[in-house]
Amino acid sequence: MKHFYRLIITLTLIAAGAGLVLSLVESATREPIAAQRKIQQLKAISAVLPAFDNSPTEDCVVLEIGRDKKDQPLQRTFYRARQDGQLVGVAFTVLARDGYSGTIEIMVGVDCHEQIVAIEILSHSETPGLGSKITTSAFKDQFRQRDLNNTDWRVKKDGGEIDQLTGATISPRATVAAVKRGLEFFNQHRSQILARSGDQL
Amino acid sequence: MSLTTEFTKGIWDKNPVFKLVLGMCPVLAITTTAENGLGMGLATAFVLLCSNLVVSLMRKLIPAEVRIPAFIIIIATFVTVVQFVLEAWAYDLYQALGIYIPLIVVNCLILGRAEGFASKNPLLSSIADGAGMGVGFTLALVTLGSVRELFGAGEIFGQALFGATYSPVLLVLLPPGGFIVLGLLLAAINRYTQHRA
């Protein structure tokens, strides 16, 4: 019985020690991690928008884009970029849930004419070396200057205008569809997205 | 055995991938490029070194019946530390390795060295063993990643080697290709070893 208690005590002490180490590391890294995430978000926003001088992470509008399975509202944030007070573009993230594996998170930036400035893949778990090539600029740059009217929003294999990737059609197809849905949502809710700003696109 | 032998055995004689054939899950899953192999190898080597160190220090305190859960807690702690530290101070590397880092916990190579070596050997030998195994694992992952990247994409570390006319063998990058390439490498190594002996 004495031995039995020793087992319990040893394991408890090891787990407590591990917990202590982890909480120390967590508290030491919490601020750098939060700062990193903010920098990364701002970097992604800057990458998809023309030059701006405000801080879009503070000048943003949150809209409900639908309901999930549990009937909880799904939200999307629209980051508004301005230069000298004038609206120059809006960035927002869209999700593609029909990728090859997992969800693809894409940041889309549009300018004053609802044309795409650029897109950026924020996160994905597509097959490395195949679907993961959606993150290459060769693929992403195809989206520049496209809008709902000037483009057939399908991959070439399906008769559209966007090049799929060799050996991977599913990831580009999902990306293209998600960006298109994002543009449509933007188009339909334009006045709400720009509300309170007094600007006209 | 001297410390040098403890270190060098991990690189060839008992190479974790090519000789012990341990930790195949990350080996096959991530070696689609040489760069991924290098990053995963280094992260694993760090965890291996730390866990060998702590397990060796505590080997007389941990009762045999609970050694496995104790080792797993120690390993998981270091993996989480690596994840926090990378995210805070090496964000680019964290992004490249992000999804693979939690996989290190279940890498049986690390548990295997904790159980099979560090729990029975003094501190310095365990550190040498962990370092050697880590280097061996990294080298093996880079080798496998280079071969797969070379044939699957015509590149090594992202540098194109075959020119634009090369049409890549996609199979090599897919999971079955991982098994096939590993099998061929193992066969070549066995052939070479037998020849020498």
Side-chain angles (χ1 to χ4, degrees), chain A residues 3 6-7 10-11 14 18 21-22 25-26 28-29 32-33 36-37 40 128-130 167, chain B residues 32 58 60-63 65-66 70 73 77 80-81 84 87-89 91 100 170 173-174:
Chain A
H3 186 66
R6 191 174 161 228
L7 301 183
T10 317
L11 262 191
I14 290 175
V21 170
L22 285 181
V25 174
E26 200 274 338
T29 53
I33 288 178
Q36 274 291 359
R37 287 193 177 150
Q40 295 303 323
L130 292 172
Chain B
T32 49
M58 297 177 67
K60 291 187 179 121
L61 302 173
I62 301 173
E65 294 90 334
V66 294
I73 294 174
T77 307
T80 317
V81 169
F84 277 140
E87 186 172 3
W89 290 294
Y91 199 85
Y100 308 124
L170 287 173
L173 288 184
L174 296 171

Side-chain angles (χ1 to χ4, degrees), chain B residues 58-186:
Chain B
M58 297 177 67
R59 67 185 188 281
K60 291 187 179 121
L61 302 173
I62 301 173
E65 294 90 334
V66 294
R67 64 185 194 285
I68 302 289
F71 296 163
I72 291 286
I73 294 174
I74 293 168
I75 295 166
T77 307
F78 281 116
V79 171
T80 317
V81 169
V82 168
Q83 191 162 8
F84 277 140
V85 169
L86 284 183
E87 186 172 3
W89 290 294
Y91 199 85
D92 290 335
L93 191 60
Y94 171 77
Q95 282 221 306
L97 291 178
I99 49 173
Y100 308 124
I101 295 172
L103 270 181
I104 300 174
V105 181
V106 291
N107 189 329
C108 53
L109 166 65
I110 297 174
L111 184 63
R113 292 329 284 173
E115 159 76 4
F117 194 92
S119 64
K120 295 170 193 140
N121 286 283
L123 183 62
L124 286 178
S125 314
S126 301
I127 292 177
D129 176 79
M133 286 289 166
V135 171
F137 190 71
T138 309
L139 287 177
L141 254 61
V142 172
T143 310
L144 202 56
S146 305
V147 173
R148 290 179 70 186
E149 193 182 355
L150 181 66
F151 291 106
E155 302 171 341
I156 283 188
F157 282 105
Q159 301 297 312
L161 290 181
F162 292 156
T165 50
Y166 177 72
S167 78
V169 188
L170 287 173
L171 173 69
V172 177
L173 288 184
L174 296 171
F179 282 100
I180 294 169
V181 173
L182 179 66
L184 291 174
L185 279 177
L186 284 178

